[in-house]
């Protein structure tokens, strides 16, 4: 009996890795093109930017909150950086200012939640429309193109690869390593994790919980801007539709990766696994030529199952 309970807990704890292995096996079985260098490279390229956004979402979810505006911030920042490049601005300055725009957008979310005491779901649902509207206003509802020949070096960021690994994926993994170190080996990381688990206990220990929570949203916005810059480079344009639905993919990646929606539980490695699982699901359906409409339905069901699995994990860990 004890062995069965131990096995069950082990399976629940490692469910995300089991799911990733299962998805890889299924992918290999449904298509002989899966393990080609081109397909693996495309898989990483297609999921690197949203994977970075998911890392930002993790920070917010660790506080017990949620950020529904991440997709809108990504779209807005693709427009912002593309407009700056079209105006002839130097690449480093355009990227730097765009990252600041993302940081400020995230900071606004944090202030709404911490200072104005607005429920995270409502606050970020509102700013989703605000940031989306700003992007439409700046672009007048059209795609924003810039001089591809003049900014050829900018295009390389989202399009060059080292064998099968795109530069976008390298940036994703570097950010993940840095963030993992912060969460696991610094006071700030411990405060953030403790915040979601027991906010009052963290407050009584002398930590400024408003600053911690606001910082989580600010970094989330900053990561969205990184994703926006990468997508503007990869697609060679800015568009208001680039980040459509990314909030759901980011949340699903975090939850599939083992995080709890109530906060305090979640890892960087888990988010990477979750993002790859979501990417593999899309990859499999594309290889099987599944309609985009069915893909939306299937992804929605997967998110539902992921949240349910998260609640089971929480119950098992509390026993």
């Amino acid at each position: 009996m004890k062995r069965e309970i131990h096995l069950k807990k082990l399976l629940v704890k490692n469910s995300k890795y089991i799911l990733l292995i299962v998805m890889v096996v299924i992918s290999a079985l449904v298509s002989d093109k899966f393990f080609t260098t081109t397909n693996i490279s495309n898989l990483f390229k297609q999921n690197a930017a949203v994977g970075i956004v998911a890392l930002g979402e993790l920070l917010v979810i660790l506080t017990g909150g949620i950020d529904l505006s991440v997709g809108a911030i990504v779209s807005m920042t693709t427009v912002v950086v593309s407009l700056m490049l079209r105006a002839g601005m130097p690449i480093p300055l355009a990227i730097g200012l765009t990252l600041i725009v993302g940081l400020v957008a995230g900071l606004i979310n944090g202030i709404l939640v911490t200072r104005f005491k607005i429920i995270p779901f409502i606050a970020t649902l509102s700013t989703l429309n605000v940031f989306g509207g700003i992007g439409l206003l700046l672009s007048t509802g059209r795609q924003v193109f810039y001089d591809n020949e003049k900014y050829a070096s900018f295009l390389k960021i989202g399009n060059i690869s080292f064998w099968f690994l795109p530069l976008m994926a390298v940036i994703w993994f570097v950010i993940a390593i840095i963030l993992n170190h912060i969460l696991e080996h610094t006071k700030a990381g411990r405060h953030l994790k403790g915040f979601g688990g027991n906010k009052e206990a963290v407050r009584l220990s002398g930590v400024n919980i408003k600053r911690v929570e606001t910082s989580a949203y600010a970094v989330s916005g900053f990561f969205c801007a990184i994703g926006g810059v990468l997508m503007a480079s990869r697609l060679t344009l800015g568009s208001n539709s680039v980040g459509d639905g990314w909030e759901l993919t980011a949340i699903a990646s975090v939850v599939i990766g083992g995080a709890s929606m109530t906060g305090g539980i979640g890892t960087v490695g888990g988010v990477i696994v979750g993002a790859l699982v979501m990417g593999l699901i899309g990859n499999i359906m594309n290889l099987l030529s599944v309609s985009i409409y069915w893909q939306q339905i299937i992804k929605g069901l997967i998110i539902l199952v992921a949240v349910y699995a998260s609640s089971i994990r929480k119950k098992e860990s509390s026993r």
Side-chain angles (χ1 to χ4, degrees):
M1 186 66 180
K2 287 184 178 180
R3 183 178 294 178
E4 290 178 0
I5 294 173
H6 177 71
L7 180 61
K8 185 179 179 181
K9 285 186 176 182
L10 190 65
L11 289 173
V12 169
K13 183 179 179 180
N14 296 287
S15 58
K16 55 183 174 289
Y17 302 112
I18 295 170
L19 180 58
L20 178 61
I21 293 170
V22 169
M23 296 306 299
V24 169
V25 171
I26 292 174
S27 300
L29 289 175
V30 299
S31 175
D32 56 2
K33 297 179 180 179
F34 176 73
F35 277 119
T36 61
T37 303
T38 301
N39 187 60
I40 297 298
S41 179
N42 286 335
L43 180 65
F44 280 117
K45 185 182 290 186
Q46 289 166 4
N47 294 282
V50 72
I52 292 170
V53 172
L55 291 175
E57 190 74 57
L58 168 67
L59 297 179
V60 173
I61 288 177
L62 282 173
T63 70
I66 193 168
D67 189 350
L68 298 177
S69 70
V70 292
I73 297 175
V74 169
S75 296
M76 178 180 69
T77 51
T78 67
V79 170
V80 169
V81 71
S82 297
L83 283 171
M84 290 180 182
L85 293 177
R86 191 169 73 179
M89 189 174 290
I91 295 172
L93 183 58
I95 293 175
L97 290 175
T98 302
L99 295 182
I100 291 173
V101 168
L103 183 68
V104 171
L107 190 60
I108 290 171
N109 283 334
I111 291 172
L112 290 174
V113 172
T114 60
R115 302 293 178 181
F116 292 91
K117 305 296 182 183
I118 301 175
I119 297 170
F121 181 90
I122 301 300
T124 58
L125 181 62
S126 300
T127 55
L128 179 156
N129 289 285
V130 172
F131 298 142
I134 291 173
L136 284 168
L137 188 65
L138 291 173
S139 66
T140 64
R142 300 174 182 175
Q143 293 179 330
V144 180
F145 297 92
Y146 52 86
D147 190 334
N148 292 346
E149 291 185 8
K150 182 178 179 181
Y151 292 106
S153 57
F154 178 73
L155 296 181
K156 290 180 180 179
I157 299 172
N159 292 284
I160 64 170
S161 298
F162 304 100
W163 188 34
F164 70 91
L165 198 63
L167 177 58
M168 290 177 67
V170 174
I171 294 171
W172 177 24
F173 295 145
V174 169
I175 291 172
I177 291 169
I178 295 171
L179 186 62
N180 184 70
H181 175 77
I182 292 171
L183 288 177
E184 301 298 332
H185 303 289
T186 68
K187 274 187 178 181
R190 288 192 291 272
H191 291 162
L192 189 61
K193 282 192 166 185
F195 181 92
N198 192 334
K199 183 193 294 188
E200 187 61 19
V202 175
R203 186 186 69 80
L204 291 174
S205 68
V207 176
N208 188 329
I209 60 174
K210 286 185 178 180
R211 184 181 299 170
V212 172
E213 192 169 10
T214 302
S215 298
Y217 283 93
V219 174
S220 177
F222 183 77
F223 282 2
C224 288
I226 294 175
V229 169
L230 292 177
M231 291 305 294
S233 171
R234 180 186 164 202
L235 301 175
T236 71
L237 54 82
S239 171
N240 294 292
S241 61
V242 170
D244 287 358
W246 279 34
E247 59 279 351
L248 297 180
T249 303
I251 293 167
S253 299
V254 174
V255 177
I256 289 173
S260 169
M261 291 299 292
T262 57
I265 300 173
T267 63
V268 169
V271 173
I272 292 176
V273 171
L276 289 175
V277 167
M278 289 298 292
L280 282 168
I281 292 167
N283 189 254
I284 290 171
M285 290 190 287
N286 287 332
L287 289 173
L288 293 175
S289 300
V290 176
S291 165
I292 186 66
Y293 309 117
W294 278 106
Q295 289 191 29
Q296 289 292 99
I297 294 171
I298 293 169
K299 285 184 178 180
L301 292 172
I302 288 167
I303 293 171
L304 188 64
V305 172
V307 174
Y308 177 67
S310 175
S311 66
I312 293 176
R313 281 194 299 266
K314 189 174 180 181
K315 288 178 183 178
E316 289 294 329
S317 62
S318 64
R319 289 181 181 177

